[in-house]
Each structure stands twice: as structure tokens, then as C-alpha cells.
Amino acid sequence: MQLKHKIVTLSVMPLIVSVLFICVLVFAQSRKLEEEQARLVESSIMAAKKAEIKNYLELALSLIAPLYDSGRDDEEAKQQALHMLSRANFGLDGYFFVYDRHGKNLMHPRQANLVGKELIGMKDKNGLPVIQALLESAENGDGYQLYTWEKPSTGQVTEKLSYVVMLDRWGWMLGTGIYIDDVEVATLKSRQEVATGVLTTVLAIASFSLIAVLVVFTGGLMLNFTEHRLADRKLSALNQRIVHLQEEERSRVSRELHDGISQQLVSIKFQFELASLELENGQGRGMENLRAGTARLGEAIGEIRRISHDLRPSLLDTLGLSPAIEQLVREFEQRTAIRTQYERGLDDSSLDMDVRVTLFRIIQEALGNIERHSRASAAIISLASSQGAIALRVEDNGVGFDPGLMDRSQGIGLRNIRERVDHHHGTFTLSSMSGRTELQVEIPLQRA
């Protein structure tokens, strides 16, 4: 083999191996991202559906409340309540059902053949005793139960999420549910989107690699130290792009969660409609339902604002870092009643946006840890310029913990803080004892 061929081979082989390694790494990371995103989508949808069916059941309880709260236990009152519930359907497959404590079906608007039957031993296709599990959830659990049931619109057996409560005086279990076959569709769509993105990335890498190999073969001895430095810069740009993609993903999820609150608003609309009907009929509960719906609407608006702010605060983009931190502190104090002081000693107007995001996310994560773990009554946030570096300090008077357990912990919060600081070539220290926990971060000014 001639020398130039040896040089080309020695140049091409590391490139090919590196490309293969990157492709394997991309596939491995994509699988992890795919699973994480699928879990996030599934958990978000399930949380929304739980809130939705709970709101529907509260609406049903409000329908029969005049009869139940009147103290009447006669059969006529019960039959009136069952009649009202049988007509209170929602959507294509939404309905309410009633069982007694022994598993006897008292009302089922979509499967009349079940009414009057003892179904305590009925099992779904997975072997779960459905009615028994629902009774246990109503008596001792949180009221939610997942099982399989026949979907009225299609006649197929599919997954169903139900929420049940006990009406103790009448001995009734009242419940409703939502079929969740669409969760699997949404999860599959999420996986396909990730897979499409990964395929595009791999094709881009493969195309770039093919061009690079052709250049190496045609150029031969032209490979030198400059080419290696160019490859390093591109790898650094790829890493930076990953960070940007994470922030872009947060913004996208923020919009999706914002739209996902619509189910709760639909439930509020139903309550307003109920209040309107009661007011037209001169019933006294109309104003009460109207006020309750208004209060829940305010809660929904507040939840939208809170979720959107947690994912991407608008003040960080419009007014800068300090106003965003001040808003974060105010919301933290309102939510937790922990007195929090923000000491501003830094002009952040000239800071790079990446550094602003890093500092804000670190403070956000630190306050989240204080809220979840510290049992503190006061906290201090200090941001200043010190000895050619940006100095951030977050301190609280909580119970403390052992910092030596941090590296062995399964949590990712402190790990994310460390990775963000390392990205800017900064330093991160954490000290803790009973009554005082302090987090300190320093980022060189030339990096900011």
C-alpha cells in the first residue's frame, strides 16, 4: 500500500468509526428521549383525564344534591336521583353508573342488561374484579380505578379510567369514567415524532460523513490539524444545539399544556349552564353554582399562568433576569408562605441569554428543592458580581441534609444544576447542616 493510501486510510477509518459511534449514541439517546417523552405525554394526558372525570362526577353530585341533602331516604327520592343521573351523559361514550355496596347495579344508561344484577364477581379481560376494585377505591382509595370495559360507540373492550365516590347514607357507589384508548394513540404519535427527528439527524450525519469521506479521498494529504480543530468546533456546536433544543422543547410543552386545560374549561362551562338552568327555574343553588364555577375558572386561569411561567417565563425574554427572578420569588412566597429575600447586586442587562436562562433555572430548581425538602421558614437569594465572576447564592434555614449523599441520589435536580454550571466553566458548591443550607455558583464574567 502506498504511503498516500495509508494516510487516507488512517484518516478515513477514525472518521468512519466516529460516525458509527455517533449514530449508535444518537440512537441510544433517542430511545431514552423517546421513552421520557412518551412517559411525559402519557402522564400529562392521564392527569388531565383524571381532573376531567372528577369534574364530571362533581357535576353529577351537584345534580342530585337537592335530593340527597334533603335527608330523604325513601325509594321515590332514590328513583328520582337515578333518573336524573341516567340522563346526564357527556360526549359520545360518557355516562354515570350506580352500584350498591354489594355490587348490585342500580343504574347503567348504556348497558340496561346489567341493571339489577349482582356483579361483585365480574372480572375484566385482565382478571381484575372490576366492581370489587371500584368499591374498594371508593371506600379506601383515591377513587380512581383503571380497568377494561366495553366501549358503547364501538362495542370493543378497551382501557377505561373511572372515578367513584360513596354516598354513604343511601349505600350507593356513584361513578363515571373515560375510555383512554386515545392515550396510546398520542403516545405512539410522540414516539413517531422523536423517531422522525432522529432519522433526520442520522441522515444529516450520514450525508455529512459521505461528503467528508469524498473530500478525504480526493484531498488525501490535505488533512491536517486545522481539520481536527474544525471537527471539534462542530462537535461543540452540536452540544450547544442540544441545550437550545431543550429550551425550545420546554416552550413547546408549555403551549401544549396551555391548550390541554380546555377539558377543565369544558367542565366549568357545564357548571355555568347548570347554574343558568337553576336560575331560570328559580332554584336557590343557581347563584352558588355560578360562584363555584367562577372560582374554578379563576383557578384554571391561575394554573395556566403558573404552568406557562414555570416552563418559560415571559419576563425573562422581555424585561430581563431580575424581573423574572422577582416574579418567581413572589409566586414562591404566595405558594409556600416561606419568606424569601432577593438581593440584587448585578446589572444583568449585558448578560448573554444562555447565562440568564442558566441562572434562572438554577434559582428555580433551588426554590423547588426548598419547597419540597427543607421545611424552611425563610430563604435568601443573592446575585452579584465578585472577583471577575457572577456569584449566585441561595440559602435557607431548613432542616438540612447530607451533601455526601447528593452524588448517590437518584434525583436529577442538583445534577442538572451542576451540568448547567459546567457548561459555562463555572463552579458549584453545596453545604448543609441543621438550620442552614447554602448553594453557591460562580460563572466567569468572560463566559457571560
Side-chain angles (χ1 to χ4, degrees), residues 136-149:
E136 292 177 355
S137 295
E139 292 280 4
N140 307 316
D142 59 0
Y144 292 102
Q145 183 62 48
L146 187 64
Y147 56 94
T148 59
W149 196 266

Side-chain angles (χ1 to χ4, degrees), residues 382-400:
S382 173
L383 187 61
S385 175
S386 174
Q387 298 179 353
I390 299 173
L392 170 64
R393 179 174 64 90
V394 182
E395 180 181 346
D396 67 79
N397 63 349
V399 296

Side-chain angles (χ1 to χ4, degrees), residues 306-369:
R306 184 190 67 78
I307 294 174
S308 299
H309 175 71
D310 287 344
L311 291 172
R312 183 68 181 186
S314 59
L315 285 180
L316 190 62
D317 296 321
T318 57
L319 299 182
L321 176 62
S322 290
I325 295 176
E326 290 171 355
Q327 179 178 339
L328 180 64
V329 169
R330 286 195 302 269
E331 294 178 352
F332 177 75
E333 285 184 321
Q334 293 173 359
R335 187 174 67 253
T336 65
I338 299 176
R339 292 182 293 105
T340 307
Q341 177 181 350
Y342 172 44
E343 300 175 351
R344 175 182 177 182
L346 173 68
D347 181 11
D348 54 75
S349 60
S350 60
L351 293 182
D352 185 79
M353 179 54 72
D354 287 345
V355 177
R356 297 183 191 181
V357 172
T358 294
L359 294 173
F360 181 84
R361 293 301 184 197
I362 291 174
I363 295 173
Q364 190 178 46
E365 185 65 40
L367 291 179
N369 288 337

Side-chain angles (χ1 to χ4, degrees), residues 114-348:
L114 299 181
V115 178
K117 293 184 178 180
E118 299 283 348
L119 303 177
I120 192 67
M122 174 184 287
K123 296 183 179 180
D124 65 2
K125 67 178 183 180
N126 298 321
L128 175 70
V130 176
I131 309 305
Q132 182 179 345
L134 288 171
L135 287 170
E136 292 177 355
S137 295
E139 292 280 4
N140 307 316
D142 59 0
Y144 292 102
Q145 183 62 48
L146 187 64
Y147 56 94
T148 59
W149 196 266
E150 181 179 328
K151 189 174 183 179
S153 61
T154 63
Q156 297 179 349
V157 176
T158 184
E159 292 283 338
K160 183 177 183 179
L161 176 66
S162 287
Y163 180 71
V164 291
V165 296
M166 290 299 301
L167 302 179
D168 294 321
R169 202 175 72 251
W170 287 358
W172 284 8
M173 177 186 70
L174 171 62
T176 187
I178 295 180
Y179 295 91
I180 58 173
D181 46 346
D182 58 334
V183 175
E184 183 178 355
V185 175
T187 304
L188 179 61
K189 182 179 179 181
S190 172
R191 294 179 185 273
Q192 291 175 345
E193 290 177 353
V194 175
T196 301
V198 171
L199 179 60
T200 302
T201 303
V202 171
L203 290 176
I205 294 175
S207 301
F208 170 78
S209 304
L210 178 60
I211 296 174
V213 169
L214 293 176
V215 170
V216 169
F217 273 102
T218 57
L221 298 178
M222 299 297 294
L223 290 175
N224 52 36
F225 179 72
T226 304
E227 297 292 334
H228 291 288
R229 293 189 61 184
L230 178 61
D232 291 338
R233 287 197 298 270
K234 289 185 177 180
L235 182 58
S236 177
L238 178 60
N239 292 333
Q240 187 62 33
R241 178 58 179 163
I242 293 175
V243 175
H244 288 305
L245 287 175
Q246 290 176 344
E247 292 303 323
E248 292 171 3
E249 182 66 10
R250 288 179 183 269
S251 299
R252 186 186 67 81
V253 173
S254 175
R255 291 191 299 271
E256 292 181 353
L257 292 180
H258 186 279
D259 295 338
I261 205 72
S262 61
Q263 296 297 332
Q264 186 175 357
L265 297 178
V266 170
S267 176
I268 296 173
K269 174 179 176 292
F270 288 158
Q271 190 160 15
F272 282 156
E273 292 175 349
L274 175 63
S276 176
L277 291 175
E278 291 177 337
L279 289 173
E280 290 177 358
N281 296 329
Q283 299 180 12
R285 292 186 56 84
M287 288 303 299
E288 180 181 348
N289 280 325
L290 183 61
R291 286 192 292 270
T294 303
R296 290 174 60 193
L297 181 60
E299 293 174 0
I301 295 173
E303 182 68 11
I304 292 173
R305 290 175 177 171
R306 184 190 67 78
I307 294 174
S308 299
H309 175 71
D310 287 344
L311 291 172
R312 183 68 181 186
S314 59
L315 285 180
L316 190 62
D317 296 321
T318 57
L319 299 182
L321 176 62
S322 290
I325 295 176
E326 290 171 355
Q327 179 178 339
L328 180 64
V329 169
R330 286 195 302 269
E331 294 178 352
F332 177 75
E333 285 184 321
Q334 293 173 359
R335 187 174 67 253
T336 65
I338 299 176
R339 292 182 293 105
T340 307
Q341 177 181 350
Y342 172 44
E343 300 175 351
R344 175 182 177 182
L346 173 68
D347 181 11
D348 54 75

